[in-house]
């Protein structure tokens, strides 16, 4: 170890992991956005090899002693927080055998690659064998983590994305949402039935949609020297904080969804681009949780992007790219972007119906991981819940049903983050409006600084210095309070 302290040795190991992670992230982005299909087997093998290397690095025998020694060293508050996060990552990694890490990476790559065509072909039967293997390995991982941490199998996977959160707490929050959401959707739809909404008339050429998207990204403060916009079959934000890659997908008959997809992913990107630069190579410099990450994309898309003031602000840009038409009046855009209509596709769902899509997935994946149901049971359960929560019939429609998401090709425990994120975002903006009563007028006038400054000071710059609950308390003065979410929805849709 030479003259290095134990803590310094640990940070050096995690800096190396950060560099490997950089390569893994760019490779994954390329796989989703640019790679020709015949490259998949080789890419999967290379990515699995990289995962094994990273796993070997974090499970090296001397790290246990370094962690023990570092606890006794004189560290400042941020270093102490970093050591906490290092220990957390080390503990989780050391519970998983190398063979499982490699098998998971290979199974996920195969399942995800085949899923692209299977979804197009409505081929649930073809998807099932790969899915069974992914589920088997996820359960194996969950069992190892659960036994060591004294939690349920699903909670063990949930903890990877929402540290410290328990599915019982999420179920309680979601049960409350289920008690008032269907009635709210019904009331809003009745109210909107009396409103006139003018649909934009296409076609909207992809090059013009892209140009509009780039304009809006600039308005939202995206740093194009540290990122780019591309196309993929499922919109996402990837890459690394120094080189953020966001993607969208375009339809020439509808610019509305792709534009809001770009606004959403730009929220993720700005979080990454504004994480504390001095700590980027360390766990304390990373985004706090996936719920907090989703709170950034939903602050941008739902709280800001669908607000009347913001739509008023971008209306001239929409007209400049697509020509003038009555649909591009700011008031009509506001009605268009807050239209409530239950649909099959989660990523296209309106703000009010979206949580129903998330709750359905949470309930199914928890039952899958905890062994209450098997892979074969998913379609029937999906059909039952879609009918109950959104009044939609998905029988036999796997493409727009249980095959629509990329997540279950390799990830369980992630879905709750979306609605937790919406709740955090509503709480941020309730706080923001208390502190800045003229917020909406400032946004309409083109002054977005109050939003960006507040997020930078309270969320972006904090990285993982605090646990999630403490981060939210410091930012808003209280723990997660879902009442802000309900109040936001009622004010926007019934006000």
């Amino acid at each position: 170890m030479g003259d290095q302290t134990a803590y310094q040795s640990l940070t050096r190991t995690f800096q190396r992991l950060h560099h490997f992670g950089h390569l893994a992230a760019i490779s994954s982005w390329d796989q989703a956005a640019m790679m020709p299909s015949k490259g998949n087997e080789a890419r999967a093998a290379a990515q699995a090899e990289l995962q094994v290397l990273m796993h070997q690095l974090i499970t090296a025998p001397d790290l246990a002693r370094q962690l023990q020694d570092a606890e006794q060293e004189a560290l400042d508050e941020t270093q102490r927080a970093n050591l906490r996060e290092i220990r957390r990552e080390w503990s989780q990694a050391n519970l998983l055998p190398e063979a499982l890490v490699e098998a998971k990476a290979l199974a996920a790559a195969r399942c995800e690659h085949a899923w692209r065509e299977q979804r197009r072909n409505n081929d649930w039967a073809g998807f099932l064998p790969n899915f069974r293997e992914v589920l088997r390995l996820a359960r194996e991982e969950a069992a190892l983590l659960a036994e060591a941490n004294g939690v349920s199998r699903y909670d063990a996977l949930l903890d990877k994305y929402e540290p410290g959160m328990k599915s019982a707490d999420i179920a309680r929050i979601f049960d409350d949402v289920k008690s008032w959401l269907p009635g709210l959707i019904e009331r809003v739809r009745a109210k909107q039935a009396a409103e006139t909404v003018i649909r934009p008339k296409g076609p909207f050429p992809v090059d013009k949609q892209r140009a509009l998207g780039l304009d809006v990204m600039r308005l939202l403060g995206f740093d194009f020297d540290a990122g780019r916009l591309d196309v993929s079959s499922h919109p996402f934000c990837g890459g690394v904080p120094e080189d953020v890659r966001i993607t969208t997908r375009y339809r020439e008959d509808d610019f509305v969804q792709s534009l809001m997809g770009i606004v959403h992913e730009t929220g993720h990107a700005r979080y990454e681009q504004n994480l504390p630069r001095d700590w980027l190579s360390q766990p304390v410099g990373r985004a706090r949780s996936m719920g907090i990450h989703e709170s950034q994309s939903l602050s941008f898309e739902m709280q800001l992007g669908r607000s009347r003031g913001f739509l008023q602000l971008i209306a001239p840009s929409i007209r400049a790219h697509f020509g003038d038409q009555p649909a591009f009046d700011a008031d009509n855009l506001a009605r268009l972007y807050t239209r409530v209509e239950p649909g099959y596709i989660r990523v296209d769902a309106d703000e009010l119906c979206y949580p129903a899509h998330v709750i359905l997935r949470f309930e199914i994946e928890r039952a899958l991981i905890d062994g209450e149901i098997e892979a074969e049971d998913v379609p029937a359960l999906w059909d039952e819940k879609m009918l109950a929560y959104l009044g939609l019939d998905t029988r036999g429609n796997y493409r727009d049903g249980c095959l629509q998401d990329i997540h279950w090709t390799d990830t369980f425990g992630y879905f709750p983050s979306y609605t937790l994120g919406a709740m955090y975002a509503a709480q941020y903006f309730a706080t923001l409006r208390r502190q800045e009563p003229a917020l909406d007028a400032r946004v309409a006038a083109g002054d977005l600084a109050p939003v960006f400054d507040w997020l930078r000071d309270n969320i972006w710059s904090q990285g993982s210095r605090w646990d999630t609950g403490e981060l939210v308390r410091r930012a808003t003065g209280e723990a997660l309070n879902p009442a802000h979410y309900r109040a936001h929805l009622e004010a926007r849709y019934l006000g």
Side-chain angles (χ1 to χ4, degrees):
M1 199 159 66
D3 295 332
Q4 283 193 328
T5 65
Y7 174 77
Q8 287 169 337
S9 294
L10 287 168
T11 60
R12 173 65 189 130
T13 296
F14 276 79
Q15 186 173 47
R16 292 186 69 200
L17 284 165
H18 172 70
H19 292 152
F20 284 147
H22 179 130
L23 295 176
I26 297 298
S27 169
S28 293
W29 164 82
D30 176 76
Q31 186 179 32
M34 306 293 258
M35 187 189 77
S37 62
K38 286 184 180 176
N40 191 64
E41 278 300 315
R43 180 64 54 87
Q47 286 173 330
E49 191 73 45
L50 187 52
Q51 292 300 319
V52 168
L53 276 173
M54 292 170 73
H55 189 260
Q56 288 171 345
L57 199 55
I58 199 171
T59 56
D62 52 349
L63 260 65
R65 182 175 43 79
Q66 288 170 12
L67 274 161
Q68 210 169 5
D69 292 348
E71 292 286 0
Q72 311 308 316
E73 293 173 354
L75 304 176
D76 65 28
E77 190 180 40
T78 310
Q79 290 171 327
R80 221 15 94 197
N82 192 41
L83 186 59
R84 177 197 71 217
E85 295 300 306
I86 285 174
R87 179 174 286 282
R88 173 185 157 72
E89 288 194 22
W90 172 84
S91 298
Q92 286 200 325
N94 275 271
L95 292 169
L96 304 180
E98 187 179 297
L100 177 59
V101 172
E102 184 174 23
K104 276 190 74 222
L106 287 169
R110 285 196 194 101
C111 189
E112 191 264 345
H113 186 67
W115 162 82
R116 294 173 186 277
E117 195 165 324
Q118 287 158 351
R119 185 191 174 196
R120 266 198 303 274
N121 297 334
N122 200 42
D123 184 9
W124 170 257
F127 176 75
L128 201 47
N130 282 335
F131 181 53
R132 280 198 199 102
E133 179 63 4
V134 166
L135 177 60
R136 183 185 72 78
L137 294 168
R139 284 172 168 173
E140 194 177 319
E141 176 188 17
L144 290 168
L145 296 174
E147 188 180 354
N149 295 313
V151 296
S152 76
R153 291 195 299 191
Y154 183 75
D155 281 2
L157 297 187
L158 175 67
D159 192 71
K160 292 165 62 176
Y161 307 103
E162 298 302 322
M165 188 70 81
K166 295 287 185 284
S167 58
D169 297 327
I170 291 172
R172 191 179 66 252
I173 290 169
F174 285 178
D175 284 347
D176 177 59
V177 172
K178 285 197 300 189
S179 75
W180 54 259
L181 185 65
L184 181 57
I185 291 172
E186 209 174 292
R187 281 153 63 206
V188 171
R189 293 194 75 197
K191 175 177 180 275
Q192 291 186 349
E195 298 172 355
T196 304
V197 179
I198 306 165
R199 296 280 171 185
K201 289 185 170 58
F204 305 101
V206 167
D207 59 336
K208 292 189 175 179
Q209 288 194 58
R210 177 177 164 79
L212 172 63
L214 293 172
D215 281 355
V216 172
M217 287 169 72
R218 286 184 199 98
L219 178 67
L220 292 171
F222 185 90
D223 180 357
F224 284 95
D225 291 329
R228 53 181 287 139
L229 170 68
D230 291 283
V231 176
S232 70
S233 62
H234 190 100
F236 71 96
C237 175
V240 293
E242 307 90 331
D243 180 6
V244 181
R245 308 296 179 90
I246 73 171
T247 68
T248 191
R249 57 184 174 205
Y250 300 105
R251 280 175 42 186
E252 294 220 328
D253 63 337
D254 177 21
F255 76 90
V256 171
Q257 292 297 342
S258 87
L259 181 59
M260 276 301 148
I262 287 172
V263 172
H264 179 100
E265 301 305 340
T266 300
H268 282 305
R270 292 233 42 211
Y271 187 16
E272 290 290 320
Q273 289 180 337
N274 287 276
L275 287 166
R277 307 311 276 185
D278 293 346
W279 290 94
L280 279 188
S281 69
Q282 298 299 312
V284 77
R286 291 184 202 145
R288 176 60 221 152
S289 74
M290 290 320 303
I292 297 298
H293 227 310
E294 289 301 332
S295 77
Q296 302 313 294
S297 57
L298 295 172
S299 287
F300 273 55
E301 181 197 352
M302 297 302 183
Q303 296 295 327
L304 181 61
R306 293 177 194 264
S307 69
R308 189 173 293 271
F310 185 79
L311 292 166
Q312 189 178 314
L313 178 62
I314 66 170
S317 190
I318 292 172
R319 286 193 290 270
H321 287 285
F322 301 132
D324 203 0
Q325 53 174 283
F328 299 155
D329 170 75
D331 286 339
N332 188 69
L333 283 172
R335 286 193 291 272
L336 192 67
Y337 273 109
T338 53
R339 203 80 189 140
V340 173
E341 195 172 330
Y344 296 114
I345 306 298
R346 175 184 63 83
V347 296
D348 293 341
D350 60 75
E351 184 178 22
L352 212 48
C353 293
Y354 197 99
H357 288 270
V358 170
I359 293 168
L360 173 153
R361 288 156 174 79
F362 160 70
E363 291 173 347
I364 291 175
E365 70 174 15
R366 181 167 66 153
L368 271 173
I369 295 300
D370 285 343
E372 294 163 18
I373 61 170
E374 293 303 324
E376 295 82 356
D377 302 322
V378 169
L381 205 51
W382 186 287
D383 296 340
E384 177 192 313
K385 290 178 183 292
M386 277 298 273
L387 199 59
Y389 300 168
L390 289 167
L392 296 172
D393 185 353
T394 50
R395 285 174 298 178
N397 184 0
Y398 308 112
R399 181 193 298 107
D400 298 329
C402 54
L403 275 182
Q404 68 179 269
D405 293 294
I406 201 169
H407 302 60
W408 286 342
T409 63
D410 78 337
T411 300
F412 296 91
Y414 188 107
F415 278 118
S417 301
Y418 290 113
T419 292
L420 291 173
M423 291 175 172
Y424 289 131
Q427 191 161 323
Y428 302 158
F429 273 73
T431 307
L432 246 168
R433 286 194 174 90
R434 277 200 310 273
Q435 295 172 0
E436 180 55 68
L439 179 68
D440 295 296
R442 289 182 69 174
V443 167
D447 180 8
L448 305 182
V451 174
F452 301 152
D453 291 349
W454 191 92
L455 290 172
R456 183 183 295 108
D457 292 346
N458 291 284
I459 308 296
W460 301 344
S461 64
Q462 302 304 306
S464 282
R465 188 175 170 194
W466 315 107
D467 68 38
T468 309
E470 181 65 14
L471 178 73
V472 173
R473 273 190 294 275
R474 284 171 172 267
T476 67
E478 60 179 330
L480 174 62
N481 180 356
H484 293 297
Y485 179 57
R486 183 176 181 178
H488 156 70
L489 294 175
E490 289 175 345
R492 173 170 284 176
Y493 291 91
L494 293 177

